Amino acid sequence: MGLAIRNETIHPSEELNTTKYFEHREFVELYDEYFDRVNRYLRCRVHNVWDADDLTTVVFLKALEKFEQYSRTSPFAGWIFSIAHHAFIDFCRKKKELPMDHTEFFEQSVDPTWDPEDHALTNEQTSILLKKMENLTRDQRDVITLRYFGDLRIAQVAVILGKTEASVKTISHRGLKELRKQYTA
């Protein structure tokens, strides 16, 4: 039996839980790294950019208040996106509205962290995608949004949503399959 060797560098903030993992960075560094990703995720989920910006602020204020309780033995991405997801759910409950008119999100200035090579969809194509996502189940939208707009790994999405990795993979697969079906119809 041989071992497969991956020639891939994984940033410490994205590693899966291991006994050796320890998040050594301070809150300011983590804030700088994750602010844009959390904001992009929330902009995809809420009705307008201002609410998304407000929610992002709330998320990082909660994280700062609870930072001493953060167990530095698990990745920060999972912890901060869990806070963001719960803040989004609370927002929906308070507003009693379904998320998003996506046109506002894409009319804003370009996010400098957005990599055009990795995300080559035009605004029109992205609007079509998000419209088609409205036909998915809530779980499928949650998984796909966290996975692709939040740039999270399957394991991190599973922790945030309180599901097993296998169920997240299945939900993601079914959601992507449904999107492909909608595009070919």
Side-chain angles (χ1 to χ4, degrees):
M1 286 192 255
L3 293 174
I5 298 175
R6 291 176 65 169
N7 221 2
E8 175 181 314
T9 303
I10 298 176
H11 192 280
S13 67
E14 296 181 6
E15 284 183 20
L16 299 178
N17 287 335
T18 65
T19 55
K20 298 178 186 176
Y21 183 83
F22 183 79
E23 180 58 69
H24 63 280
R25 295 175 294 170
E26 293 303 316
F27 185 80
V28 173
E29 293 175 77
L30 295 166
Y31 172 89
D32 288 341
E33 181 177 341
Y34 287 95
F35 181 87
D36 289 331
R37 286 174 60 186
V38 169
N39 186 257
R40 186 172 54 235
Y41 164 72
L42 290 169
R43 284 183 178 202
C44 288
R45 301 306 307 259
V46 299
H47 186 66
N48 67 53
V49 175
W50 297 279
D51 285 339
D53 291 347
D54 290 345
L55 269 177
T56 303
T57 301
V58 167
V59 166
F60 280 97
L61 284 174
K62 284 182 183 178
L64 180 59
E65 289 171 2
K66 304 288 185 183
F67 192 64
E68 291 166 1
Q69 295 175 11
Y70 163 56
S71 150
R72 292 176 174 252
T73 58
S74 61
F76 185 76
W79 187 69
I80 196 68
F81 274 94
S82 179
I83 294 171
H85 184 69
H86 288 98
F88 165 70
I89 291 170
D90 291 344
F91 172 81
C92 289
R93 285 182 186 145
K94 288 177 186 170
K95 288 283 197 169
K96 296 212 189 277
E97 70 181 36
L98 293 175
M100 166 142 206
D101 173 16
H102 296 291
T103 55
E104 282 185 49
F105 173 72
F106 294 105
E107 289 172 356
Q108 300 301 313
S109 61
V110 175
D111 181 349
T113 63
W114 196 261
D115 185 358
E117 292 176 14
D118 291 339
H119 303 77
L121 296 172
T122 65
N123 288 347
E124 182 179 343
Q125 290 171 321
T126 305
S127 294
I128 292 169
L129 168 65
L130 293 171
K131 183 76 172 160
K132 291 181 183 298
M133 282 181 62
E134 292 173 7
N135 297 323
L136 301 177
T137 67
R138 177 183 213 120
D139 281 345
Q140 290 169 340
R141 282 191 309 267
D142 287 346
V143 167
I144 289 171
T145 306
L146 284 166
R147 181 89 170 102
Y148 298 103
F149 285 92
D151 294 328
L152 296 177
R153 296 174 180 274
I154 294 286
Q156 294 169 321
V157 173
V159 169
I160 291 167
L161 297 177
K163 299 186 180 301
T164 65
E165 287 184 40
S167 69
V168 168
K169 287 178 186 177
T170 301
I171 291 167
S172 178
H173 174 75
R174 289 178 181 163
L176 293 172
K177 184 177 175 181
E178 177 61 29
L179 286 174
R180 275 189 221 105
K181 186 171 120 181
Q182 290 181 41
Y183 271 102
T184 58

